[in-house]
Amino acid sequence: MFPLGTVLFPGLVLPLHVFEPRYRTLVQHLAELPASLPREFGVIAIRRGWEVGRVDGEQGETTDASITAGESLSLYEVGCAAEIRQLTELPDGRFDLMTVGRRRFRLLGLARNDAPYLTGEIEWLPEPKGEPDREEELAAGVLAAFQQYLKAVRSDDDGDGEQLPDDPTVLSHLVAATASLTLEDRQSLLAEPDTTSRLKAERAMLRREAALLGQVRAVPVALSDLAVPSSPN
């Protein structure tokens, strides 16, 4: 396990600079695997805090959970496997990695062994469509919302020129990873049970973010209002 302050999604690239001794050991172990085996490790987001309970949704249902790794470190329950595509060992023993997210997993519990890095028991999560008859409709809605969001974010107003994938599942992962969302929002999207649920959540989040950006830019402020009065002293 590689705990990070970010969320990795399937199909997305994650460059890493590995400098901690325990994670150097992890990379060395992976590098020694036979060429026929994938060099994978689990990326899982860190939830900070001394005591962390379960995260409940609006109706009280559990949307994700945390697993305590130590007194000052708690981990989210759902993560994503990262496959090393490029590995560069630096002269001082550090590593530069280029990894790609492969598939989601649920962390069932942390294992106790002699490894210096965290290990755990997991179960692989499927990628069901959810509501196949609504998948294309929802993907089109998310695409439109994402383009509107990009127009609000970018000064060049070039949101329509963004090249986005046609596959709804790939689109859902790309939008979740590239929109300027909080770690909590991204984690909740990673933990969604299927593609249509993720697309529904993304559409609402994108509309929310675009509306907030629109409100901020809709309030003009005179330059004189921003002037700092001179001190009488």
Side-chain angles (χ1 to χ4, degrees):
M1 294 294 163
F2 202 132
L4 290 174
T6 190
V7 180
L8 176 63
F9 289 85
L12 275 295
V13 174
L14 177 66
L16 290 172
H17 178 68
V18 180
F19 58 91
E20 288 189 61
R22 55 182 169 173
Y23 296 117
R24 293 189 203 181
T25 303
L26 169 61
V27 173
Q28 289 168 350
H29 287 174
L30 292 171
E32 293 168 0
L33 291 175
S36 58
L37 296 178
R39 295 182 294 181
E40 287 183 310
F41 57 91
V43 170
I44 194 157
I46 298 170
R47 183 201 297 274
R48 302 186 186 280
W50 288 91
E51 292 183 3
V52 183
R54 301 184 70 82
V55 182
D56 295 326
E58 293 181 358
Q59 276 72 43
E61 74 276 11
T62 297
T63 58
D64 199 0
S66 63
I67 294 179
T68 300
E71 289 185 345
S72 60
L73 175 66
S74 291
L75 306 175
Y76 282 100
E77 184 183 22
V78 176
C80 181
E83 181 179 6
I84 298 176
R85 295 291 179 84
Q86 184 176 338
L87 187 157
T88 303
E89 184 172 4
L90 303 177
D92 60 1
R94 293 174 295 138
F95 292 95
D96 284 332
L97 306 180
M98 187 61 67
T99 72
V100 176
R102 290 199 63 205
R103 47 183 175 164
R104 300 182 305 147
F105 63 83
R106 186 182 307 280
L107 180 59
L108 302 177
L110 295 172
R112 296 185 180 277
N113 52 42
D114 295 332
Y117 46 82
L118 290 177
T119 61
E121 180 185 357
I122 68 163
E123 63 176 358
W124 296 112
L125 296 178
E127 289 289 347
K129 295 182 181 297
E131 301 175 62
D133 56 332
R134 295 203 60 199
E135 192 180 32
E136 295 297 332
E137 170 200 348
L138 287 167
V142 167
L143 178 60
F146 190 53
Q147 289 174 334
Q148 187 67 30
Y149 167 81
L150 290 177
K151 287 181 180 180
V153 169
R154 297 176 177 176
S155 58
D156 57 10
D157 198 32
D158 193 28
D160 291 333
E162 190 75 18
Q163 294 296 319
L164 296 171
D166 296 326
D167 183 273
T169 300
V170 177
L171 175 67
S172 74
H173 290 150
L174 178 64
V175 170
T178 56
S180 296
L181 301 173
T182 65
L183 184 145
E184 289 77 13
D185 280 343
R186 285 182 175 156
Q187 181 65 39
S188 70
L189 292 174
L190 181 69
E192 288 290 347
D194 51 61
T195 297
T196 54
S197 297
R198 187 176 302 111
L199 289 170
K200 288 178 184 178
E202 286 173 344
R203 185 175 58 181
M205 288 181 185
L206 289 170
R207 288 174 176 173
R208 176 197 71 194
E209 294 300 310
L212 289 173
L213 287 167
Q215 289 175 6
V216 169
R217 295 186 179 186
V219 181
V221 179
L223 290 177
S224 58
D225 294 338
L226 300 178
V228 179
S230 57
S231 171
N233 298 325

